[in-house]
Amino acid sequence: MASKRAERAVGEGVVASYLHHNSRVGALVELNCETDFVARNDDFKQLAYDIAMHVVAASPVCLQEEDMPADCELTVAEACLLSQPFVKDPSKSIGDLITEVIARTGENVKVGRFTRIEVGV
Amino acid sequence: MASKRAERAVGEGVVASYLHHNSRVGALVELNCETDFVARNDDFKQLAYDIAMHVVAASPVCLQEEDMPADCELTVAEACLLSQPFVKDPSKSIGDLITEVIARTGENVKVGRFTRIEVGV
């Protein structure tokens, strides 16, 4: 059933941003779900915000293993957002957080895109 | 003199973000200058924030004319961030705002990068 859910279209969602207090680095994250109802939920928005904060702190190279550049010298857990240990609770990966929100909401949930900009980097 | 200034390295700056109140679209902008002194100035940070808000509202395709995709059917003033009329004061372009801050600070100032994410777009 979980795998069926993973095929369902995720056309709704939210965009969250996080800016480090030094104003030198920020991130933008799109977190997708199936319905506007879930997108408007505060827990869902908080997760998007937490992932944006994580992206600022952990500088992921790509979303998942199949997106890794061929010349990447990092491990999957170092490079891929979904495999990285969550900075606020390293016992879970970002992928684990997504799995949890899928279980809680009953919807398919995916990180659509993320971007990170740091001055001069 | 202004053209000499335009060649000076812009290694400092700030990142600003703007999120639309519906949480469905956001932007991230890097605004560069020469010194940390200017980067820490509130006017400079406000300009970066205003440009991020503009990017959300005006959806620029690229930074400037030389970056326009060959198949772009928009005009330069429609497609290019620096040529677009500023949404908060259409009598000026974003490029005009940059020219003004260059004059005020005496430093070279450039938009480094910008990115815009909208749910499902």
Side-chain angles (χ1 to χ4, degrees):
Chain A
M1 178 185 156
S3 69
K4 269 205 161 169
R5 196 180 287 161
E7 289 158 24
R8 294 205 302 247
V10 284
E12 293 295 328
V14 295
V15 175
S17 70
Y18 180 84
L19 204 62
H20 192 58
H21 59 80
N22 66 3
S23 297
R24 290 180 61 89
V25 51
L28 215 52
V29 167
E30 179 186 13
L31 187 65
N32 294 120
C33 56
E34 296 175 39
T35 66
D36 187 47
F37 179 78
V38 165
R40 279 184 282 117
N41 179 281
D42 284 341
D43 273 3
F44 187 81
K45 288 181 181 172
Q46 180 66 43
L47 176 60
Y49 178 82
D50 282 345
I51 296 174
M53 190 216 60
H54 173 94
V55 167
V56 163
S59 301
V61 173
C62 57
L63 183 63
Q64 51 202 347
E65 190 169 357
E66 50 261 50
D67 306 322
M68 273 179 84
D71 59 353
C72 184
E73 293 178 354
L74 302 172
T75 65
V76 172
E78 287 167 342
C80 303
L81 175 59
L82 294 181
S83 303
Q84 287 181 330
F86 178 38
V87 290
K88 282 171 74 175
D89 177 1
S91 73
K92 298 173 180 177
S93 70
I94 298 294
D96 292 337
L97 297 182
I98 302 289
T99 304
E100 285 176 9
V101 77
I102 289 172
R104 271 206 307 280
T105 62
E107 291 203 2
N108 188 14
V109 173
K110 287 184 178 169
V111 176
R113 285 164 287 179
F114 70 90
T115 179
R116 181 185 187 279
I117 295 183
E118 183 168 357
V119 171
V121 175
Chain B
M1 178 187 155
S3 69
K4 269 204 160 167
R5 195 180 287 160
E7 289 158 24
R8 294 205 303 246
V10 284
E12 293 295 329
V14 295
V15 175
S17 71
Y18 180 84
L19 204 62
H20 192 58
H21 59 81
N22 67 4
S23 296
R24 290 181 62 90
V25 51
L28 215 53
V29 167
E30 178 185 15
L31 188 65
N32 294 121
C33 56
E34 297 176 37
T35 66
D36 187 47
F37 178 77
V38 165
R40 279 185 282 116
N41 179 281
D42 284 341
D43 273 3
F44 187 81
K45 287 181 182 173
Q46 180 66 43
L47 176 60
Y49 178 81
D50 281 345
I51 296 174
M53 191 216 59
H54 174 94
V55 167
V56 163
S59 301
V61 173
C62 56
L63 183 63
Q64 52 202 348
E65 190 169 356
E66 49 261 52
D67 307 322
M68 272 179 82
D71 59 352
C72 184
E73 293 178 354
L74 302 172
T75 66
V76 172
E78 286 168 344
C80 304
L81 174 60
L82 293 181
S83 303
Q84 287 181 330
F86 178 38
V87 289
K88 282 171 74 175
D89 177 1
S91 73
K92 298 173 180 178
S93 69
I94 298 294
D96 292 337
L97 297 181
I98 303 289
T99 304
E100 285 176 9
V101 76
I102 288 172
R104 273 206 306 279
T105 62
E107 292 203 2
N108 188 13
V109 173
K110 286 183 178 170
V111 176
R113 285 164 287 179
F114 69 91
T115 179
R116 180 185 187 280
I117 295 183
E118 183 168 357
V119 171
V121 175

Short mmCIF file of all heavy atoms in Angstrom, two decimals, chain A residues 47-109:
data_model
loop_
_atom_site.label_atom_id
_atom_site.label_comp_id
_atom_site.label_asym_id
_atom_site.label_seq_id
_atom_site.Cartn_x
_atom_site.Cartn_y
_atom_site.Cartn_z
N LEU A 47 7.53 21.16 8.74
CA LEU A 47 8.48 20.21 8.17
C LEU A 47 9.23 20.85 7.00
O LEU A 47 10.46 20.71 6.88
CB LEU A 47 7.76 18.94 7.71
CG LEU A 47 8.64 17.90 6.99
CD1 LEU A 47 9.78 17.42 7.89
CD2 LEU A 47 7.80 16.71 6.51
N ALA A 48 8.51 21.58 6.15
CA ALA A 48 9.15 22.26 5.03
C ALA A 48 10.20 23.26 5.53
O ALA A 48 11.32 23.35 5.01
CB ALA A 48 8.10 22.97 4.16
N TYR A 49 9.83 23.99 6.59
CA TYR A 49 10.76 24.97 7.18
C TYR A 49 11.99 24.26 7.77
O TYR A 49 13.12 24.71 7.58
CB TYR A 49 10.02 25.77 8.25
CG TYR A 49 10.88 26.77 8.97
CD1 TYR A 49 11.14 28.02 8.41
CD2 TYR A 49 11.44 26.48 10.21
CE1 TYR A 49 11.94 28.95 9.07
CE2 TYR A 49 12.24 27.39 10.88
CZ TYR A 49 12.48 28.63 10.30
OH TYR A 49 13.28 29.53 10.96
N ASP A 50 11.75 23.16 8.48
CA ASP A 50 12.86 22.39 9.08
C ASP A 50 13.81 21.87 8.00
O ASP A 50 15.03 21.86 8.19
CB ASP A 50 12.33 21.21 9.89
CG ASP A 50 11.80 21.63 11.26
OD1 ASP A 50 12.09 22.76 11.70
OD2 ASP A 50 11.08 20.82 11.88
N ILE A 51 13.24 21.44 6.88
CA ILE A 51 14.10 20.94 5.79
C ILE A 51 14.91 22.09 5.20
O ILE A 51 16.10 21.93 4.89
CB ILE A 51 13.27 20.21 4.72
CG1 ILE A 51 12.61 18.95 5.33
CG2 ILE A 51 14.15 19.80 3.53
CD1 ILE A 51 11.65 18.22 4.39
N ALA A 52 14.30 23.28 5.07
CA ALA A 52 15.05 24.44 4.55
C ALA A 52 16.20 24.78 5.50
O ALA A 52 17.33 25.05 5.05
CB ALA A 52 14.12 25.64 4.37
N MET A 53 15.95 24.74 6.80
CA MET A 53 17.00 24.99 7.78
C MET A 53 18.10 23.94 7.67
O MET A 53 19.30 24.25 7.70
CB MET A 53 16.40 24.98 9.18
CG MET A 53 17.34 25.47 10.26
SD MET A 53 17.09 24.52 11.76
CE MET A 53 17.47 22.88 11.18
N HIS A 54 17.67 22.69 7.50
CA HIS A 54 18.63 21.59 7.33
C HIS A 54 19.50 21.81 6.09
O HIS A 54 20.72 21.58 6.14
CB HIS A 54 17.89 20.26 7.23
CG HIS A 54 18.78 19.11 6.90
ND1 HIS A 54 19.33 18.29 7.86
CD2 HIS A 54 19.26 18.67 5.71
CE1 HIS A 54 20.11 17.41 7.27
NE2 HIS A 54 20.07 17.60 5.97
N VAL A 55 18.88 22.24 5.00
CA VAL A 55 19.63 22.46 3.75
C VAL A 55 20.71 23.53 3.95
O VAL A 55 21.85 23.40 3.48
CB VAL A 55 18.68 22.85 2.59
CG1 VAL A 55 19.46 23.37 1.39
CG2 VAL A 55 17.84 21.63 2.18
N VAL A 56 20.38 24.59 4.70
CA VAL A 56 21.38 25.62 4.99
C VAL A 56 22.54 25.03 5.78
O VAL A 56 23.70 25.27 5.47
CB VAL A 56 20.73 26.80 5.76
CG1 VAL A 56 21.79 27.66 6.45
CG2 VAL A 56 19.90 27.65 4.81
N ALA A 57 22.22 24.21 6.79
CA ALA A 57 23.25 23.68 7.68
C ALA A 57 24.08 22.58 7.03
O ALA A 57 25.29 22.50 7.22
CB ALA A 57 22.61 23.15 8.96
N ALA A 58 23.43 21.71 6.23
CA ALA A 58 24.08 20.47 5.79
C ALA A 58 24.51 20.47 4.32
O ALA A 58 25.16 19.51 3.89
CB ALA A 58 23.15 19.28 6.05
N SER A 59 24.17 21.54 3.57
CA SER A 59 24.64 21.68 2.19
C SER A 59 24.52 20.42 1.34
O SER A 59 25.52 19.98 0.76
CB SER A 59 26.11 22.11 2.17
OG SER A 59 26.28 23.30 2.85
N PRO A 60 23.35 19.83 1.22
CA PRO A 60 23.25 18.63 0.37
C PRO A 60 23.59 18.95 -1.09
O PRO A 60 23.32 20.04 -1.58
CB PRO A 60 21.78 18.22 0.50
CG PRO A 60 21.07 19.46 0.94
CD PRO A 60 22.04 20.21 1.78
N VAL A 61 24.21 17.98 -1.74
CA VAL A 61 24.61 18.13 -3.15
C VAL A 61 23.42 17.86 -4.07
O VAL A 61 23.28 18.46 -5.13
CB VAL A 61 25.76 17.15 -3.47
CG1 VAL A 61 26.10 17.15 -4.95
CG2 VAL A 61 26.98 17.48 -2.62
N CYS A 62 22.57 16.90 -3.67
CA CYS A 62 21.46 16.47 -4.52
C CYS A 62 20.36 15.88 -3.66
O CYS A 62 20.53 15.72 -2.44
CB CYS A 62 21.95 15.45 -5.54
SG CYS A 62 22.73 14.03 -4.74
N LEU A 63 19.24 15.55 -4.29
CA LEU A 63 18.10 15.04 -3.54
C LEU A 63 18.31 13.59 -3.10
O LEU A 63 18.10 13.23 -1.95
CB LEU A 63 16.83 15.15 -4.40
CG LEU A 63 15.53 14.72 -3.73
CD1 LEU A 63 15.21 15.61 -2.52
CD2 LEU A 63 14.38 14.75 -4.73
N GLN A 64 18.73 12.73 -4.05
CA GLN A 64 18.82 11.31 -3.74
C GLN A 64 19.94 10.65 -4.55
O GLN A 64 20.52 11.29 -5.43
CB GLN A 64 17.50 10.61 -4.02
CG GLN A 64 16.95 10.89 -5.41
CD GLN A 64 15.47 10.66 -5.53
OE1 GLN A 64 14.87 10.07 -4.64
NE2 GLN A 64 14.88 11.11 -6.62
N GLU A 65 20.19 9.38 -4.25
CA GLU A 65 21.37 8.71 -4.77
C GLU A 65 21.47 8.78 -6.29
O GLU A 65 22.55 9.01 -6.85
CB GLU A 65 21.38 7.25 -4.30
CG GLU A 65 22.70 6.55 -4.60
CD GLU A 65 22.81 5.20 -3.91
OE1 GLU A 65 21.90 4.84 -3.14
OE2 GLU A 65 23.83 4.51 -4.14
N GLU A 66 20.34 8.58 -6.99
CA GLU A 66 20.41 8.57 -8.46
C GLU A 66 20.75 9.94 -9.06
O GLU A 66 21.07 10.02 -10.25
CB GLU A 66 19.12 8.02 -9.10
CG GLU A 66 17.85 8.62 -8.59
CD GLU A 66 17.16 7.74 -7.54
OE1 GLU A 66 17.85 7.32 -6.58
OE2 GLU A 66 15.96 7.49 -7.67
N ASP A 67 20.70 10.98 -8.24
CA ASP A 67 21.05 12.31 -8.75
C ASP A 67 22.51 12.69 -8.46
O ASP A 67 22.95 13.79 -8.82
CB ASP A 67 20.16 13.38 -8.09
CG ASP A 67 18.67 13.06 -8.25
OD1 ASP A 67 18.30 12.57 -9.32
OD2 ASP A 67 17.91 13.31 -7.30
N MET A 68 23.26 11.80 -7.82
CA MET A 68 24.64 12.15 -7.44
C MET A 68 25.54 12.34 -8.66
O MET A 68 25.55 11.50 -9.56
CB MET A 68 25.25 11.07 -6.53
CG MET A 68 24.94 11.29 -5.06
SD MET A 68 25.63 9.99 -4.02
CE MET A 68 27.31 10.59 -3.81
N PRO A 69 26.31 13.43 -8.69
CA PRO A 69 27.26 13.62 -9.80
C PRO A 69 28.29 12.49 -9.79
O PRO A 69 28.67 12.00 -8.72
CB PRO A 69 27.93 14.95 -9.47
CG PRO A 69 27.09 15.60 -8.40
CD PRO A 69 26.38 14.51 -7.69
N ALA A 70 28.71 12.08 -10.98
CA ALA A 70 29.62 10.94 -11.10
C ALA A 70 30.93 11.18 -10.35
O ALA A 70 31.53 10.24 -9.83
CB ALA A 70 29.90 10.67 -12.58
N ASP A 71 31.35 12.43 -10.29
CA ASP A 71 32.65 12.73 -9.66
C ASP A 71 32.51 13.12 -8.18
O ASP A 71 33.46 13.64 -7.59
CB ASP A 71 33.35 13.85 -10.43
CG ASP A 71 32.51 15.12 -10.46
OD1 ASP A 71 31.35 15.09 -10.00
OD2 ASP A 71 33.02 16.15 -10.94
N CYS A 72 31.36 12.85 -7.61
CA CYS A 72 31.13 13.23 -6.21
C CYS A 72 31.91 12.31 -5.28
O CYS A 72 31.80 11.08 -5.36
CB CYS A 72 29.64 13.17 -5.89
SG CYS A 72 29.26 13.73 -4.22
N GLU A 73 32.72 12.90 -4.41
CA GLU A 73 33.57 12.09 -3.53
C GLU A 73 32.94 11.86 -2.16
O GLU A 73 33.56 11.29 -1.27
CB GLU A 73 34.94 12.76 -3.38
CG GLU A 73 35.72 12.74 -4.70
CD GLU A 73 37.07 13.44 -4.59
OE1 GLU A 73 37.35 14.03 -3.53
OE2 GLU A 73 37.83 13.40 -5.58
N LEU A 74 31.72 12.33 -1.99
CA LEU A 74 31.03 12.15 -0.72
C LEU A 74 30.25 10.84 -0.71
O LEU A 74 29.94 10.28 -1.76
CB LEU A 74 30.07 13.31 -0.48
CG LEU A 74 30.67 14.72 -0.47
CD1 LEU A 74 29.58 15.77 -0.41
CD2 LEU A 74 31.62 14.88 0.72
N THR A 75 29.92 10.35 0.50
CA THR A 75 29.04 9.19 0.60
C THR A 75 27.59 9.65 0.34
O THR A 75 27.30 10.85 0.36
CB THR A 75 29.10 8.56 2.00
OG1 THR A 75 28.58 9.51 2.94
CG2 THR A 75 30.53 8.22 2.39
N VAL A 76 26.72 8.68 0.12
CA VAL A 76 25.30 8.99 -0.09
C VAL A 76 24.74 9.75 1.12
O VAL A 76 24.03 10.75 0.97
CB VAL A 76 24.49 7.70 -0.35
CG1 VAL A 76 22.99 7.99 -0.37
CG2 VAL A 76 24.93 7.08 -1.68
N ALA A 77 25.11 9.30 2.32
CA ALA A 77 24.59 9.95 3.53
C ALA A 77 25.15 11.35 3.73
O ALA A 77 24.59 12.16 4.45
CB ALA A 77 24.91 9.09 4.76
N GLU A 78 26.28 11.63 3.07
CA GLU A 78 26.84 12.98 3.14
C GLU A 78 26.25 13.89 2.07
O GLU A 78 26.05 15.09 2.29
CB GLU A 78 28.37 12.94 2.96
CG GLU A 78 29.11 12.39 4.17
CD GLU A 78 30.58 12.06 3.88
OE1 GLU A 78 30.95 11.94 2.69
OE2 GLU A 78 31.34 11.91 4.84
N ALA A 79 26.00 13.32 0.89
CA ALA A 79 25.66 14.15 -0.27
C ALA A 79 24.17 14.33 -0.50
O ALA A 79 23.74 15.37 -1.01
CB ALA A 79 26.29 13.55 -1.53
N CYS A 80 23.37 13.31 -0.15
CA CYS A 80 21.97 13.31 -0.60
C CYS A 80 21.03 13.77 0.51
O CYS A 80 21.02 13.19 1.61
CB CYS A 80 21.57 11.91 -1.03
SG CYS A 80 22.63 11.25 -2.33
N LEU A 81 20.23 14.76 0.20
CA LEU A 81 19.31 15.34 1.19
C LEU A 81 18.50 14.27 1.90
O LEU A 81 18.42 14.25 3.13
CB LEU A 81 18.38 16.36 0.51
CG LEU A 81 17.28 16.97 1.39
CD1 LEU A 81 17.86 17.69 2.59
CD2 LEU A 81 16.41 17.91 0.57
N LEU A 82 17.90 13.34 1.14
CA LEU A 82 17.01 12.36 1.76
C LEU A 82 17.75 11.38 2.67
O LEU A 82 17.15 10.79 3.57
CB LEU A 82 16.22 11.59 0.70
CG LEU A 82 15.21 12.42 -0.10
CD1 LEU A 82 14.48 11.55 -1.11
CD2 LEU A 82 14.21 13.13 0.81
N SER A 83 19.06 11.21 2.45
CA SER A 83 19.84 10.28 3.26
C SER A 83 20.59 10.96 4.40
O SER A 83 21.09 10.28 5.30
CB SER A 83 20.86 9.56 2.36
OG SER A 83 20.20 8.89 1.31
N GLN A 84 20.69 12.27 4.36
CA GLN A 84 21.45 12.98 5.40
C GLN A 84 20.75 12.85 6.76
O GLN A 84 19.52 12.92 6.83
CB GLN A 84 21.58 14.46 5.05
CG GLN A 84 22.56 14.74 3.93
CD GLN A 84 22.68 16.24 3.62
OE1 GLN A 84 21.74 16.99 3.80
NE2 GLN A 84 23.84 16.64 3.16
N PRO A 85 21.52 12.71 7.85
CA PRO A 85 20.92 12.78 9.19
C PRO A 85 20.38 14.20 9.43
O PRO A 85 21.07 15.18 9.14
CB PRO A 85 22.10 12.48 10.13
CG PRO A 85 23.28 12.20 9.28
CD PRO A 85 22.98 12.53 7.87
N PHE A 86 19.16 14.28 9.90
CA PHE A 86 18.50 15.56 10.15
C PHE A 86 19.29 16.34 11.21
O PHE A 86 19.56 15.83 12.28
CB PHE A 86 17.08 15.29 10.63
CG PHE A 86 16.26 16.49 10.97
CD1 PHE A 86 16.34 17.66 10.23
CD2 PHE A 86 15.37 16.46 12.04
CE1 PHE A 86 15.56 18.77 10.55
CE2 PHE A 86 14.59 17.55 12.38
CZ PHE A 86 14.68 18.72 11.63
N VAL A 87 19.64 17.58 10.92
CA VAL A 87 20.52 18.34 11.83
C VAL A 87 19.90 18.54 13.23
O VAL A 87 20.62 18.65 14.21
CB VAL A 87 20.94 19.71 11.26
CG1 VAL A 87 21.91 19.54 10.11
CG2 VAL A 87 19.75 20.55 10.86
N LYS A 88 18.59 18.59 13.31
CA LYS A 88 17.97 18.80 14.62
C LYS A 88 17.76 17.49 15.38
O LYS A 88 17.41 17.52 16.57
CB LYS A 88 16.61 19.52 14.46
CG LYS A 88 16.76 21.02 14.23
CD LYS A 88 15.44 21.66 13.86
CE LYS A 88 14.46 21.81 15.02
NZ LYS A 88 13.24 22.57 14.59
N ASP A 89 17.90 16.34 14.70
CA ASP A 89 17.75 15.03 15.35
C ASP A 89 18.45 13.98 14.48
O ASP A 89 17.82 13.31 13.66
CB ASP A 89 16.27 14.68 15.52
CG ASP A 89 16.08 13.29 16.12
OD1 ASP A 89 17.10 12.61 16.42
OD2 ASP A 89 14.92 12.87 16.28
N PRO A 90 19.78 13.84 14.67
CA PRO A 90 20.57 12.99 13.78
C PRO A 90 20.21 11.51 13.84
O PRO A 90 20.75 10.72 13.05
CB PRO A 90 22.01 13.22 14.27
CG PRO A 90 21.97 14.51 15.01
CD PRO A 90 20.61 14.58 15.64
N SER A 91 19.30 11.11 14.75
CA SER A 91 18.88 9.71 14.76
C SER A 91 17.95 9.40 13.59
O SER A 91 17.68 8.23 13.29
CB SER A 91 18.18 9.37 16.08
OG SER A 91 16.90 9.96 16.14
N LYS A 92 17.44 10.45 12.93
CA LYS A 92 16.57 10.27 11.77
C LYS A 92 17.19 10.91 10.54
O LYS A 92 17.85 11.95 10.65
CB LYS A 92 15.22 10.95 12.00
CG LYS A 92 14.43 10.42 13.15
CD LYS A 92 13.20 11.27 13.39
CE LYS A 92 12.40 10.72 14.56
NZ LYS A 92 11.23 11.56 14.86
N SER A 93 16.91 10.31 9.38
CA SER A 93 17.30 10.98 8.13
C SER A 93 16.14 11.87 7.67
O SER A 93 15.01 11.75 8.17
CB SER A 93 17.61 9.94 7.05
OG SER A 93 16.41 9.29 6.66
N ILE A 94 16.42 12.75 6.71
CA ILE A 94 15.34 13.56 6.13
C ILE A 94 14.30 12.63 5.49
O ILE A 94 13.10 12.87 5.58
CB ILE A 94 15.90 14.56 5.10
CG1 ILE A 94 16.88 15.53 5.77
CG2 ILE A 94 14.77 15.33 4.41
CD1 ILE A 94 16.27 16.47 6.79
N GLY A 95 14.78 11.54 4.87
CA GLY A 95 13.86 10.55 4.30
C GLY A 95 12.93 9.96 5.36
O GLY A 95 11.75 9.73 5.11
N ASP A 96 13.46 9.74 6.57
CA ASP A 96 12.63 9.23 7.67
C ASP A 96 11.53 10.24 8.02
O ASP A 96 10.39 9.85 8.29
CB ASP A 96 13.48 8.98 8.93
CG ASP A 96 14.46 7.82 8.76
OD1 ASP A 96 14.22 6.96 7.90
OD2 ASP A 96 15.47 7.80 9.50
N LEU A 97 11.89 11.52 8.03
CA LEU A 97 10.88 12.55 8.35
C LEU A 97 9.75 12.52 7.32
O LEU A 97 8.58 12.69 7.65
CB LEU A 97 11.52 13.95 8.35
CG LEU A 97 12.60 14.24 9.38
CD1 LEU A 97 13.06 15.68 9.25
CD2 LEU A 97 12.09 13.98 10.79
N ILE A 98 10.14 12.33 6.05
CA ILE A 98 9.14 12.27 4.97
C ILE A 98 8.25 11.05 5.16
O ILE A 98 7.02 11.13 5.04
CB ILE A 98 9.84 12.22 3.59
CG1 ILE A 98 10.76 13.43 3.38
CG2 ILE A 98 8.81 12.10 2.47
CD1 ILE A 98 10.07 14.74 3.18
N THR A 99 8.87 9.91 5.50
CA THR A 99 8.10 8.68 5.73
C THR A 99 7.10 8.88 6.87
O THR A 99 5.95 8.44 6.80
CB THR A 99 9.05 7.50 6.06
OG1 THR A 99 10.00 7.38 4.99
CG2 THR A 99 8.29 6.19 6.21
N GLU A 100 7.54 9.57 7.92
CA GLU A 100 6.66 9.84 9.05
C GLU A 100 5.46 10.70 8.65
O GLU A 100 4.33 10.45 9.07
CB GLU A 100 7.43 10.56 10.17
CG GLU A 100 8.36 9.65 10.95
CD GLU A 100 9.18 10.42 11.99
OE1 GLU A 100 8.90 11.62 12.22
OE2 GLU A 100 10.11 9.82 12.55
N VAL A 101 5.71 11.73 7.84
CA VAL A 101 4.61 12.63 7.47
C VAL A 101 3.66 11.92 6.49
O VAL A 101 2.45 12.18 6.50
CB VAL A 101 5.13 14.00 6.94
CG1 VAL A 101 5.64 13.92 5.52
CG2 VAL A 101 4.03 15.05 7.04
N ILE A 102 4.19 11.00 5.71
CA ILE A 102 3.34 10.18 4.84
C ILE A 102 2.41 9.32 5.70
O ILE A 102 1.20 9.24 5.45
CB ILE A 102 4.21 9.30 3.90
CG1 ILE A 102 4.88 10.17 2.84
CG2 ILE A 102 3.36 8.19 3.25
CD1 ILE A 102 5.90 9.44 1.96
N ALA A 103 2.97 8.74 6.76
CA ALA A 103 2.16 7.90 7.66
C ALA A 103 1.10 8.74 8.38
O ALA A 103 -0.05 8.33 8.52
CB ALA A 103 3.06 7.19 8.66
N ARG A 104 1.50 9.94 8.83
CA ARG A 104 0.58 10.79 9.60
C ARG A 104 -0.55 11.33 8.75
O ARG A 104 -1.69 11.43 9.20
CB ARG A 104 1.35 11.98 10.21
CG ARG A 104 1.95 11.72 11.57
CD ARG A 104 2.11 13.02 12.36
NE ARG A 104 2.85 14.06 11.66
CZ ARG A 104 4.17 14.13 11.56
NH1 ARG A 104 4.93 13.20 12.11
NH2 ARG A 104 4.76 15.11 10.91
N THR A 105 -0.23 11.71 7.50
CA THR A 105 -1.24 12.40 6.67
C THR A 105 -1.99 11.43 5.77
O THR A 105 -3.07 11.77 5.27
CB THR A 105 -0.58 13.44 5.75
OG1 THR A 105 0.33 12.77 4.86
CG2 THR A 105 0.18 14.49 6.56
N GLY A 106 -1.43 10.25 5.53
CA GLY A 106 -2.05 9.34 4.57
C GLY A 106 -1.88 9.78 3.13
O GLY A 106 -2.52 9.26 2.23
N GLU A 107 -1.02 10.78 2.90
CA GLU A 107 -0.78 11.25 1.52
C GLU A 107 0.64 10.93 1.10
O GLU A 107 1.54 10.82 1.93
CB GLU A 107 -0.97 12.77 1.44
CG GLU A 107 -2.40 13.19 1.63
CD GLU A 107 -2.69 14.56 1.02
OE1 GLU A 107 -1.79 15.17 0.41
OE2 GLU A 107 -3.84 15.00 1.14
N ASN A 108 0.83 10.86 -0.20
CA ASN A 108 2.18 10.82 -0.74
C ASN A 108 2.81 12.21 -0.53
O ASN A 108 2.16 13.23 -0.77
CB ASN A 108 2.15 10.46 -2.23
CG ASN A 108 3.53 10.22 -2.80
OD1 ASN A 108 4.50 10.07 -2.07
ND2 ASN A 108 3.61 10.16 -4.12
N VAL A 109 4.04 12.24 -0.06
CA VAL A 109 4.75 13.50 0.19
C VAL A 109 6.15 13.38 -0.41
O VAL A 109 6.81 12.34 -0.26
CB VAL A 109 4.85 13.81 1.70
CG1 VAL A 109 5.74 15.02 1.97
CG2 VAL A 109 3.47 14.03 2.29
#
